[in-house]
């Protein structure tokens, strides 16, 4: 059995961590490296940095933040946002990132997933999927890119299957409907994707309580839970979350005292 993971997410724009609701209304949440160190020391299992403005602004991910973070933290971290080439992936991994997350670029050029997986190994390649319920009466979810600004028309479950076949080692699945609302993860979406693929799925978007996090694992079949507002705003700590989940008999890596 592989331990379930808690992963703080640091959405970065213009060098600062930000948080919003449904991908809009962003507010400042602190310095990315400072927060990364705090969560690393607090016992988080991994970290995710997402440069949320990189894709639609047409620029690369902030390499300086990656270097500074790699010098300070002791846990693995993933970096995403504006990564569109093998050269960019190489630069980020050399700067100290453990994994890279592809989103818009993977939709534009699916072969980038397989090329990257072949060069760096599947374990280094995460594909982020931002999904929103279809507006029509049709069931399912559409895949969005460019920081949630563009509907690709791709079906989220079909796309998840494709990226897994292409060699992605993990899927970072964000419910745009739940993002920042603290109303709970989209368990139906998470479970549907997790059952459709054989690779780990990280649940993201909507955590508002300990019960929500528990349900991501027990009802959503997620391998990891991404957390942002709850931690940034000090509503819960990594320690509190882990102790609660361990008490629910979930396989969680305990914090070393």
């Amino acid at each position: 059995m592989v331990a379930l993971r808690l992963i703080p997410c640091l959405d970065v724009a213009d060098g600062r961590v930000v948080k919003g609701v449904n991908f809009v209304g962003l507010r400042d949440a602190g310095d990315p490296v400072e927060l990364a160190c705090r969560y690393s020391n607090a016992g988080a299992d991994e970290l995710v940095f997402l440069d949320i403005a990189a894709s639609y602004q047409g620029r690369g991910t902030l390499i300086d933040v990656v270097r500074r973070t790699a010098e300070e933290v002791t846990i693995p971290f993933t970096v995403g946002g504006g990564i569109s080439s093998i050269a960019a992936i190489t630069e980020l991994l050399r700067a100290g990132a453990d994994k890279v997350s592809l989103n818009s670029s993977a939709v534009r050029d699916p072969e980038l997933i397989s090329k990257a997986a072949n060069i760096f190994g599947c374990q280094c390649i995460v594909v982020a999927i931002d999904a929103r319920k279809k507006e029509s009466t049709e069931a399912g979810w559409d895949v969005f890119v460019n920081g949630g600004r563009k509907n690709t028309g791709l079906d989220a479950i079909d796309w998840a299957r494709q990226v897994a076949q292409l060699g992605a080692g993990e899927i970072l699945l964000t419910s745009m409907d739940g993002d920042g609302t603290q109303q709970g993860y989209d368990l139906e979406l998470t479970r549907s994707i997790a059952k459709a693929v054989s690779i780990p799925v990280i649940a993201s978007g909507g955590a508002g309580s300990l019960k929500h996090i528990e349900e991501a694992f027990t009802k959503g079949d997620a391998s990891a839970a991404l957390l942002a507002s709850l931690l940034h705003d000090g509503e819960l700590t990594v320690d509190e979350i882990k102790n609660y989940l361990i008490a629910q008999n979930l396989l969680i890596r305990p914090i070393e005292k």
Side-chain angles (χ1 to χ4, degrees), residues 90-149:
T90 302
E91 183 180 25
L92 287 166
L93 294 178
R94 284 179 176 170
D98 297 276
K99 309 175 192 178
V100 296
S101 175
L102 307 176
N103 189 340
S104 301
S105 61
V107 172
R108 288 193 303 269
D109 178 17
E111 286 190 5
L112 179 62
I113 301 170
S114 54
K115 290 177 182 176
N118 287 334
I119 294 171
F120 305 107
C122 296
Q123 78 283 350
C124 289
I125 308 304
V126 179
V127 171
I129 299 177
D130 296 335
R132 171 170 278 165
K133 288 181 181 177
K134 294 180 184 291
E135 294 184 358
S136 66
T137 55
E138 184 182 358
W141 301 265
D142 288 321
V143 174
F144 282 69
V145 294
N146 290 359
R149 290 166 176 79

Side-chain angles (χ1 to χ4, degrees), residues 19-27 132 176-182 229:
K19 196 68 194 91
V21 177
N22 305 133
F23 282 39
V24 296
L26 302 179
R27 56 182 169 81
R132 171 170 278 165
M176 292 180 62
D177 301 295
D179 176 68
T181 65
Q182 297 195 5
S229 300

Side-chain angles (χ1 to χ4, degrees), residues 222-257:
S223 298
L226 210 69
L227 303 164
S229 300
L230 274 181
L231 295 177
H232 300 339
D233 295 339
E235 295 178 41
L236 288 172
T237 66
V238 174
D239 194 37
E240 288 171 337
I241 298 169
K242 286 202 166 188
N243 286 338
Y244 171 83
L245 296 174
I246 290 171
Q248 309 312 308
N249 296 314
L250 293 177
L251 183 59
I252 301 290
R253 183 177 63 86
I255 297 174
E256 297 180 3
K257 303 294 184 181

Side-chain angles (χ1 to χ4, degrees), residues 210-219 244-245 248 250:
L210 292 168
K211 190 66 175 177
H212 291 159
I213 302 166
E214 176 190 357
E215 289 176 342
F217 298 125
T218 59
K219 296 183 179 180
Y244 171 83
L245 296 174
Q248 309 312 308
L250 293 177

